[in-house]
Amino acid sequence: MPEQNNAAIDPRHLPRHVAIIMDGNGRWAEQRGLPRTKGHEAGADAVRETLKAARELGLKVLSLYAFSTENWRRSRAEVNALFRLMSHHIRRELDEIAKHGIRVRIMGDIERLPEQARKDLQTCIDRTARNTEMDVCVGLNYGGRAEIVRAARRLASQCAARAMRSEEITEDRFARELYVPEHPEVDLLIRTSGEQRISNFMLWQISYAEIVFLPVLWPDFNGHWMREAIREFQSRRRRFGGRP
Ligand code: IPE
Ligand code: IPE
Ligand code: MG
């Protein structure tokens, strides 16, 4: 990241799709001598801040990594606390989310989630289904590899049923089997917490994403950091493999 700059953000060149790996809740709590779940609580508040900032900037598609296929490796207590918190926040924020025209989508295999969490999610999805201001897609029990394998299986079964020929499998056709096929590819991928890795997030969709790693822990993320990441995005020259 360059040093702080307050250059204006160009509203004509916003990333069409911003994806965020929301990392660092545990460290935020540990730094304060608090249990990790307190970090997740503060992280949920940062999600609300993020939605507000995204709306104000006029972003149209936001994907948020909330729980990975690997996060089941954490203690049962932490996992349960995470999903309880999620239910609590959905119930608390739903009116606000609906009022602002946000449509909530999910990517991931949510069959494995606790029943209450699934119910609250379904309520949220149904209630916001016709909204058009901004799409917010939450990754829950989401893994980029799992998503690709799922797409491959769906195509394979269509081939086996003779509904399609293997030669018809193109990149576009493949992408149509991803969890949310109508979203454009990710333009800007943000990861907080200072870690510089992808951790199995949106492997297909980030092929040509600009990546911004921020030194801030997720609970401290807010509109300031969102704008910082977008300024950085706007300062980059994208080439997509073409001539410089
Ligand atoms: C991100 O924060 C939230 C989830 C993965 C659910 P972490 O819980 O990974 O926080 P750190 O990385 O341990 O600090
Ligand atoms: C990635 O963070 C997953 C989410 C933010 C939901 P992790 O904390 O699970 O990733 P690693 O373990 O540091 O790679
Ligand atoms: Mg982490």
Side-chain angles (χ1 to χ4, degrees):
M1 292 289 297
E3 65 281 3
Q4 267 231 316
N5 93 60
N6 286 313
I9 287 172
D10 180 351
R12 292 162 309 171
H13 292 111
L14 291 172
R16 286 187 308 158
H17 185 169
V18 176
I20 309 183
I21 302 172
M22 311 185 288
D23 194 24
N25 295 350
R27 276 163 283 174
W28 183 94
E30 278 154 27
Q31 285 176 1
R32 288 162 177 75
L34 297 168
R36 293 178 60 84
T37 49
K38 289 287 172 196
H40 296 314
E41 276 177 34
D45 292 336
V47 172
R48 188 179 45 203
E49 285 295 305
T50 303
L51 298 188
K52 180 162 176 278
R55 273 197 287 113
E56 288 171 358
L57 281 158
L59 299 182
K60 286 294 176 194
V61 183
L62 190 64
S63 290
L64 303 174
Y65 204 7
F67 194 88
S68 75
T69 46
E70 289 74 36
N71 285 147
W72 297 105
R73 293 176 186 155
R74 299 186 180 197
S75 75
R76 182 185 289 238
E78 183 175 349
V79 170
N80 288 341
L82 266 168
F83 287 117
R84 265 201 313 276
L85 244 170
M86 196 193 71
S87 282
H88 173 79
H89 274 263
I90 290 176
R91 277 183 243 138
R92 199 184 72 182
E93 301 296 326
L94 185 52
D95 284 343
E96 191 76 5
I97 289 173
K99 182 176 97 190
H100 289 294
I102 296 173
R103 175 166 68 161
V104 176
R105 315 286 305 263
I106 301 296
M107 54 182 173
D109 177 8
I110 61 165
E111 291 302 304
R112 216 182 138 186
L113 267 47
E115 186 165 346
Q116 189 59 50
R118 278 202 327 259
K119 277 191 188 150
D120 290 323
L121 277 168
Q122 201 54 55
T123 307
C124 182
I125 292 166
D126 295 343
R127 170 117 178 255
T128 63
R130 276 178 294 281
N131 288 349
T132 55
E133 283 305 305
M134 175 167 75
D135 264 20
V136 173
C137 181
V138 186
L140 284 166
N141 190 20
Y142 173 86
R145 287 184 174 180
E147 181 177 38
I148 290 169
V149 167
R150 174 178 173 274
R153 281 205 187 127
R154 288 158 67 102
L155 292 170
S157 50
Q158 292 185 46
C159 288
R162 305 242 177 265
M164 117 186 252
R165 287 175 296 117
S166 61
E167 305 80 66
E168 292 174 63
I169 302 176
T170 58
E171 291 187 13
D172 284 344
R173 185 66 194 81
F174 196 95
R176 274 172 28 212
E177 302 297 336
L178 298 174
Y179 281 118
V180 188
E182 55 275 44
H183 282 172
E185 288 193 18
V186 174
D187 290 317
L188 169 61
L189 173 67
I190 300 171
R191 182 173 187 144
T192 59
S193 90
E195 305 294 354
Q196 303 197 356
R197 54 177 172 264
I198 302 301
S199 302
N200 201 15
F201 193 43
M202 302 188 86
L203 299 179
W204 178 280
Q205 299 89 334
I206 62 170
S207 294
Y208 272 98
E210 293 298 327
I211 306 184
V212 173
F213 295 108
L214 295 173
V216 62
L217 298 173
W218 176 252
D220 293 325
F221 185 87
N222 54 24
H224 161 79
W225 288 104
M226 178 71 104
R227 288 187 296 277
E228 201 61 21
I230 290 180
R231 270 188 215 104
E232 170 66 18
F233 170 82
Q234 293 190 336
S235 77
R236 301 218 186 143
R237 195 149 48 88
R238 303 180 82 189
R239 287 201 285 269
F240 299 98
R243 283 198 291 170

